[in-house]
């Protein structure tokens, strides 16, 4: 009996063993049927996103991939190793496979230097740190971890390591030399008018230097107040390292006691309707030179003709639109430079003589920018322009509409005791019709004619 029992027990064990083996074999088969697509181990840099390729599950000829469940604990905000688990159930079996995703930080931090990478230090002085910043994509601001060292040439080496051991360094080159020129600016205006045979008292200058407390200034002056003309005073600053800079002031010596001088000035043109052409013909017949404050209107040929015949081409803004030119200082200069470029294109000269639309004391401009004329009258001088108003008005911009009216206004406004700047408009045909008689009257009564130039004392309202 014992032998029979042992045999049965062995058979049972064998059957169990056989079943276990079969089950394991089947499990291995199922396990091999669950396949990860792509690599089992993935390495990505911090800041990147991993796009999972998934897995497949096939039993015999059946595709059971839809049964796969995917779980992951990936945290893209933190470096480390993470798992992606793929599991699938078949009968009593639960099969699993894992993919390892390793998020690493392999990018070195960045050091940003404030100021330049090369800095010149004044002789006999010590470099004062301008500043720096260290940023790491993973650690964030690690400026406090930056270490500074000085190499054998006096340069500063900035080094920093992030939490993953990535290192970076940058060098700031320090040179002991002064190659920066002194800064010099004028007190008072850059263009000054003084009367003939009067004393000139200079307004002086201000000078600073990055290294010297008080650089040397040489003043070069060719001024002769006993002679009419334009003179220059040049201020040349020199520091202890022989760096130089200079600035120039123009001095215009004028004689406003010349009696009976007439400056015929024409605004708003040229006109293509015939009035400008007729005015040029009258001026040519009498041998008289005039000044034209032009806009961007009218044909180029008339500006070219006026210039070639010896008349002064001055500037009156491009558009003459109050709502635009007086809306802001920037608008005014943009419009002015547009017509200045036109004149340069036609004459080869950058005219710096201007007249404000409406004159320097017009109040219409306050509708668009209150008080702008107070600013512009100063700014144009700073930019090297000379603006002219008038002391005789022809009335052709408003009250007059006939040649007789224009003629009477002009001759009644003339004075032998001063220079006479006459405001007219060459876009008015009745002004052109009056011009011949105006010139005849002036000549018969001892007046002389001139065109405005850079030495003419500007008649101004303000």
């Amino acid at each position: 009996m014992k032998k029979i029992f042992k045999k049965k027990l062995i058979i049972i064990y064998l059957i169990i063993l056989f079943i276990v083996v079969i089950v394991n074999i089947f499990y291995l088969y199922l396990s091999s049927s669950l396949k990860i697509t792509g690599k089992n181990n993935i390495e990505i840099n911090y800041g990147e996103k991993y796009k999972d390729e998934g897995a497949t599950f096939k039993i015999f000829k059946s595709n059971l991939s839809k049964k796969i469940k995917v779980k992951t604990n990936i945290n893209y905000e933190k470096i480390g190793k993470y798992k992606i688990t793929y599991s699938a159930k078949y009968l009593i079996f639960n099969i699993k496979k894992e993919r390892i995703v390793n998020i690493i930080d392999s990018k070195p931090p960045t050091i940003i230097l404030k100021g330049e990478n090369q800095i010149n230090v004044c002789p006999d002085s010590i470099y004062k740190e301008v500043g720096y910043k260290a940023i790491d994509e993973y650690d964030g601001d690690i400026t406090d971890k930056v270490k500074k060292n000085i190499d054998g040439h006096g340069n500063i080496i900035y080094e920093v390591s992030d939490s993953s051991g990535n290192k970076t360094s940058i060098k700031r080159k320090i040179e002991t030399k002064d190659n920066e020129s002194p800064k010099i600016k004028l007190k008072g205006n850059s263009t000054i008018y003084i009367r003939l045979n009067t004393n000139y008292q200079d307004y002086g200058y201000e000078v600073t230097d990055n290294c010297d407390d008080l650089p040397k200034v040489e003043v070069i002056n060719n001024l002769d107040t006993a002679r009419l003309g334009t003179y220059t005073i040049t201020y040349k600053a020199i520091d202890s390292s022989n760096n130089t800079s200079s600035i120039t002031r123009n001095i215009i010596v004028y004689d406003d006691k010349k009696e009976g001088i007439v400056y015929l000035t024409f605004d708003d043109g040229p006109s293509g309707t015939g009035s400008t052409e007729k005015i040029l013909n009258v001026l040519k017949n009498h041998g008289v030179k005039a000044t034209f404050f032009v806009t961007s209107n009218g044909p180029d040929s008339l500006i070219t003709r006026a210039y070639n015949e010896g008349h002064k081409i001055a500037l009156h803004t491009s558009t003459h639109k109050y709502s635009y030119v007086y809306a802001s200082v920037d608008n005014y200069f943009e419009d002015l430079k547009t017509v200045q470029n036109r004149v340069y294109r036609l004459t080869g000269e950058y005219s710096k003589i201007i007249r404000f639309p409406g004159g320097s004391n017009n109040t219409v401009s306050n509708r668009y920018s209150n008080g702008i004329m107070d600013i512009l009258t100063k700014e144009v001088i700073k930019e090297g322009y000379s603006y002219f108003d008038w002391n005789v008005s022809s009335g052709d911009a408003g009250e007059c509409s006939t040649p007789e009216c224009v003629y009477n206004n002009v001759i009644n406004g003339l004075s032998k005791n001063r220079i006479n700047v006459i405001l007219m408009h060459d876009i008015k045909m009745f002004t052109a019709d009056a011009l011949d008689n105006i010139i005849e009257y002036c000549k018969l009564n001892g007046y002389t004619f001139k065109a405005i130039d850079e030495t003419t004392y500007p008649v101004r309202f303000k």
Side-chain angles (χ1 to χ4, degrees):
M1 288 293 292
K2 288 183 179 181
K3 288 182 178 181
I4 294 172
F5 178 75
K6 285 182 179 180
K7 285 181 180 181
K8 287 181 179 181
L9 191 59
I10 291 172
I11 292 171
I12 292 171
Y13 284 150
L14 290 174
I15 291 172
I16 293 172
L17 180 61
F18 175 76
I19 293 171
V20 170
V21 170
I22 294 300
V23 168
N24 283 329
I25 291 172
F26 190 60
Y27 180 81
L28 290 173
Y29 167 73
L30 292 177
S31 181
S32 64
S33 298
L34 179 60
K35 296 180 179 179
I36 293 175
T37 304
K39 297 180 180 179
N40 286 13
N41 289 282
I42 301 294
E43 190 173 82
I44 62 172
N45 274 309
Y46 174 77
E48 297 177 358
K49 297 291 184 180
Y50 169 65
K51 186 177 180 180
D52 188 40
E53 297 181 64
T56 60
F57 186 43
K58 295 180 180 179
I59 305 294
F60 303 116
K61 293 183 179 181
S62 300
N63 189 344
L64 303 177
S65 299
K66 290 183 179 180
K67 292 181 174 290
I68 299 173
K69 293 183 179 181
V70 182
K71 290 184 179 181
T72 181
N73 64 343
I74 295 178
N75 181 0
Y76 289 104
E77 300 300 318
K78 188 176 181 180
I79 61 175
K81 291 186 177 182
Y82 300 92
K83 294 179 182 179
I84 300 178
T85 303
Y86 309 89
S87 62
K89 286 186 177 181
Y90 187 78
L91 300 177
I92 63 170
F93 301 101
N94 188 19
I95 305 97
K96 292 184 179 181
K97 289 287 181 72
E98 289 182 346
R99 191 199 309 270
I100 302 299
V101 177
N102 187 19
I103 300 177
I104 64 169
D105 175 20
S106 62
K107 294 181 181 179
T110 300
I111 300 176
I112 304 168
L113 298 181
K114 293 182 181 179
E116 301 296 328
N117 284 27
Q118 177 175 328
I119 291 182
N120 296 328
V121 177
C122 294
D124 302 322
S125 64
I126 300 174
Y127 167 70
K128 294 181 180 180
E129 180 59 59
V130 179
Y132 53 87
K133 193 170 187 177
I135 301 294
D136 184 67
E137 190 175 82
Y138 181 70
D139 295 336
D141 191 334
I142 54 173
T143 304
D144 58 343
K145 294 184 178 180
V146 175
K147 295 180 179 179
K148 294 193 300 180
N149 297 296
I150 299 176
D151 66 10
H153 303 284
N155 302 311
I156 301 175
I157 309 298
Y158 304 81
E159 296 178 324
V160 70
S161 297
D162 63 19
S163 59
S164 297
N166 302 303
K167 295 181 180 180
T168 193
S169 65
I170 193 170
K171 179 173 74 173
R172 195 195 301 270
K173 190 174 183 180
I174 307 297
E175 291 199 11
T176 305
K177 65 178 182 179
D178 176 17
N179 59 0
E180 185 176 330
S181 297
K183 292 180 174 59
I184 185 168
K185 65 178 183 178
L186 298 176
K187 292 182 178 179
N189 293 331
S190 59
T191 299
I192 293 178
Y193 291 83
I194 63 170
R195 289 182 176 86
L196 187 69
N197 295 318
T198 58
N199 293 326
Y200 169 70
Q201 185 173 356
D202 194 59
Y203 289 96
Y205 52 84
E206 293 178 353
V207 62
T208 57
D209 187 69
N210 62 314
C211 292
D212 293 8
D213 291 335
L214 190 62
K216 177 184 176 183
V217 177
E218 180 183 356
V219 180
I220 304 168
N221 187 343
N222 69 345
L223 177 61
D224 183 355
T225 60
R227 298 177 61 185
L228 297 175
T230 300
Y231 301 90
T232 58
I233 300 178
T234 301
Y235 309 83
K236 183 179 180 182
I238 309 169
D239 66 17
S240 59
S241 298
N242 290 321
N243 300 306
T244 64
S245 61
S246 63
I247 194 168
T248 299
R249 193 195 311 272
N250 294 317
I251 309 296
I252 298 174
V253 179
Y254 70 93
D255 184 4
D256 63 348
K257 293 183 179 179
K258 286 189 175 181
E259 298 177 350
I261 295 178
V262 171
Y263 293 94
L264 298 172
T265 70
F266 298 92
D267 288 7
D268 296 2
S271 170
T273 62
S275 54
T276 300
E277 186 175 8
K278 183 172 183 177
I279 287 171
L280 288 172
N281 291 338
V282 172
L283 293 172
K284 186 175 183 180
N285 290 338
H286 284 282
V288 169
K289 305 305 178 189
T291 304
F292 291 85
F293 290 91
V294 302
T295 66
S296 288
N297 298 324
D300 288 349
S301 59
L302 290 175
I303 293 179
T304 302
R305 178 187 168 184
Y307 177 77
N308 290 337
E309 291 180 1
H311 303 294
K312 187 66 176 181
I313 308 300
L315 312 177
H316 196 42
T317 73
S318 175
T319 64
H320 200 276
K321 291 181 179 178
Y322 285 49
S323 60
Y324 180 78
V325 299
Y326 292 137
S328 69
V329 173
D330 288 343
N331 279 18
Y332 174 80
F333 278 107
E334 179 185 355
D335 207 64
L336 182 67
K337 287 177 181 177
T338 298
V339 70
Q340 185 182 53
N341 289 334
R342 183 195 191 193
V343 171
Y344 175 77
R345 175 172 57 83
L346 298 174
T347 68
E349 293 182 4
Y350 278 111
S351 179
K352 302 288 271 186
I353 296 174
I354 66 174
R355 175 173 284 161
F356 293 109
S360 65
N361 66 343
N362 80 83
T363 56
V364 180
S365 57
N366 289 330
R367 300 177 189 172
Y368 312 106
S369 181
N370 190 35
I372 193 171
M373 296 312 303
D374 291 332
I375 300 171
L376 287 177
T377 51
K378 296 179 178 65
E379 289 300 316
V380 293
I381 292 174
K382 287 182 182 177
E383 294 295 325
Y385 295 95
S386 180
Y387 72 89
F388 281 77
D389 290 311
W390 56 90
N391 53 15
V392 179
S393 175
S394 68
D396 63 353
E399 65 184 89
C400 288
S401 59
T402 65
E404 293 77 17
C405 180
V406 171
Y407 173 81
N408 288 328
N409 280 341
V410 171
I411 65 171
N412 289 331
L414 293 173
S415 173
K416 282 285 189 70
N417 298 320
R418 67 180 186 195
I419 61 174
N420 300 272
V421 179
I422 303 174
L423 171 67
M424 293 181 284
H425 296 80
D426 59 315
I427 61 173
K428 306 288 187 178
M429 184 57 78
F430 56 83
T431 298
D433 292 339
L435 184 60
D436 188 73
N437 289 334
I438 291 171
I439 293 176
E440 287 287 354
Y441 174 88
C442 290
K443 285 185 173 180
L444 288 172
N445 288 275
Y447 289 94
T448 57
F449 295 93
K450 281 189 175 184
I452 291 172
D453 62 22
E454 286 69 19
T455 66
T456 305
Y457 180 71
V459 171
R460 293 172 179 169
F461 297 143
K462 59 188 301 181

